Amino acid sequence: MTLPVFDQTAIEKAVTTRLVLDTVRDALIAHAEGRTSVPPPLHMAFPEADGDCHVKAGWITGAADFTVKIATGFYGNPVLGLPSNHGLVCVVSARTGQMRALLDDGGLLTAWRTAAAGALITHAMARPDATTLAVFGTGEQARLQATWLAELRTIGTVLVHGRSPHKANALCEQLHARGLDARPAAPQEAAAADMVITTTPATSPVLDATHVREGAHVTGIGTDMPHKNELPPALFHRARLIATDDHTQCLDHGDFGHAVRAGATGQHSDTAAGDLLKGPVDRPEAAITLADLTGVGALDAALASAALDQLLH
Amino acid sequence: MTLPVFDQTAIEKAVTTRLVLDTVRDALIAHAEGRTSVPPPLHMAFPEADGDCHVKAGWITGAADFTVKIATGFYGNPVLGLPSNHGLVCVVSARTGQMRALLDDGGLLTAWRTAAAGALITHAMARPDATTLAVFGTGEQARLQATWLAELRTIGTVLVHGRSPHKANALCEQLHARGLDARPAAPQEAAAADMVITTTPATSPVLDATHVREGAHVTGIGTDMPHKNELPPALFHRARLIATDDHTQCLDHGDFGHAVRAGATGQHSDTAAGDLLKGPVDRPEAAITLADLTGVGALDAALASAALDQLLH
């Protein structure tokens, strides 16, 4: 028996945005309800090659499959004409331990579950009449967050802030091609949008808390390591509702943790993102709401399993 | 580019016993010299299916590849007509993080590196004129330890002790087929052999320390978890030379750790197995020598990489 290997093209053909959104929503709810198993990840460093490897596993309790995801980042690769990131998702039966398949997805599923989580929680927490979206960052996640949120609600204008004007323009053109009105914006204007999503690898806050308006919602998805930081503690101090995708993880290496350590908010001031996805969010009209997403391994499991079901049928 | 997947049959064809022995010897020496990187493993449990999953990674510092090994054990599988253990080795470039290949080896490489480590250290530590070998256990490792040690030195007789006389007889027949003189033996007789290798999943000692003769060598390879135990602390107390494949690991969950906690030997009484493989071992003629092997992740990396080089050429 040969182990099936599916590549990025096959996965793109088989999986719809709707399937990803539904799967990630259910998985975030399961995680909020404690119905997931996510062991501490395995980590290796290759300092001479400026590289590292993370192995993450996840399982939605009771689901037929779990996954083991290997992801590498070798930051000298671009000089060699290679992408920095490589990865592989192994789907394993949680009933027999047999390897079901390998998804040679080039990081696609991780990008999708990150985009889906951001779009879902932003849609759930933002005011129903919020229409202006600002994205900080100009990479793949900035594009995905805007286009996927547009699947969930009408977006009037997308304001794009990036350090490189060239990249900000390029992203605006990509968004135009998808039917969205988009233009570059300075950080102060972007921070004043109805909905703000930060998607950068920043190590210090990308916006000023005083520029964020009452009634706005802000989602940070870029802070996934202790040295990273996108959202200022002062913004957490102003927020009336704070969502985290994983309390412990956000406390350890999310923007939420920075804010707690700075004394700007309490250690238990957060609500599970999955709980907010269950129904209408009770938000005071003029409040600032925040979501800190650090990425939950159980989402990988749920999405890979759902993708595999499509690929095998 | 499709990721190459090699199965057990392809690996068996491409790799010789000599290559495994040479590779494992070099890797044990590298490990003794601190030239390996082995992060703490990742572990998941699936209690309802009586299953678990371990993910282990390893790297010989500076080598071109590292490996990530996924291994599952689902102990209800035999009822379903399936093997209990499944696994997969992913070979990754330590220069670029690219996935080089997958070895769908059914645990073969782990079995081989375990067998090679046991045979190499037993040969190095046993008296040059030792000829009688006893194996405790009747599984794959019992067979491999005997046949691979026979590649390194002449064995007069193999004494086989197993709880099941049926399985002990079956192993003797397999060893006969490979040209070895073998017969079942009671534990007391087996423990008195020149060379003893224990290969069981026992949770209490399989032999009596008083039955082991002066001048004998004993290697334990079965104790790989804290609740397992093959060799009695009293045997460590009698030993004049104790080898461990990994000091920290053997202290944590090897027979050596049981002996140290029982006060039978000192916490630093052991020598790195790899150091003993470098040259002739200086052993007093009448001494008892011991080796406790718990399995080193860096050996997986070295062996998978060597196997892949053969498979690709």
Side-chain angles (χ1 to χ4, degrees), chain A residues 7 56 96 109 113 139 177 184 212 291:
Chain A
D7 66 10
K56 293 181 179 174
T96 66
L109 294 174
R113 61 97 163 141
V212 177

Side-chain angles (χ1 to χ4, degrees), chain B residues 262-310:
Chain B
T265 190
Q267 188 171 338
H268 299 289
S269 63
D270 61 321
T271 300
D275 282 336
L276 297 178
L277 294 181
K278 285 189 223 174
V281 173
D282 183 20
R283 62 165 292 153
E285 186 71 15
I288 289 177
T289 56
L290 280 187
D292 181 21
L293 306 182
T294 49
V296 173
L299 303 193
D300 295 319
L303 185 55
S305 185
L308 186 58
D309 285 343
Q310 295 298 309

Side-chain angles (χ1 to χ4, degrees), chain A residues 139-156:
Chain A
E140 179 185 34
Q141 274 303 317
R143 176 175 59 79
L144 285 174
Q145 294 288 339
T147 52
W148 288 35
L149 183 58
E151 299 264 331
L152 297 170
R153 65 159 64 206
T154 304
I155 297 179

Side-chain angles (χ1 to χ4, degrees), chain B residues 24-98:
Chain B
V24 167
R25 180 180 177 278
D26 291 349
L28 278 168
I29 291 172
H31 192 61
E33 293 177 347
R35 294 184 286 112
T36 56
S37 169
V38 185
L42 182 156
H43 176 254
M44 294 186 87
F46 302 90
E48 283 178 29
D50 194 13
D52 57 37
C53 175
H54 287 89
V55 182
K56 293 181 179 174
W59 185 44
I60 307 282
T61 313
D65 304 319
F66 68 97
T67 55
V68 178
K69 183 171 81 167
I70 305 170
T72 60
F74 279 65
Y75 304 100
N77 280 1
V79 176
L80 309 170
L82 293 170
S84 296
N85 296 102
H86 293 277
L88 191 69
V89 180
C90 185
V91 184
V92 190
S93 165
R95 316 254 197 261
T96 66
Q98 288 174 298

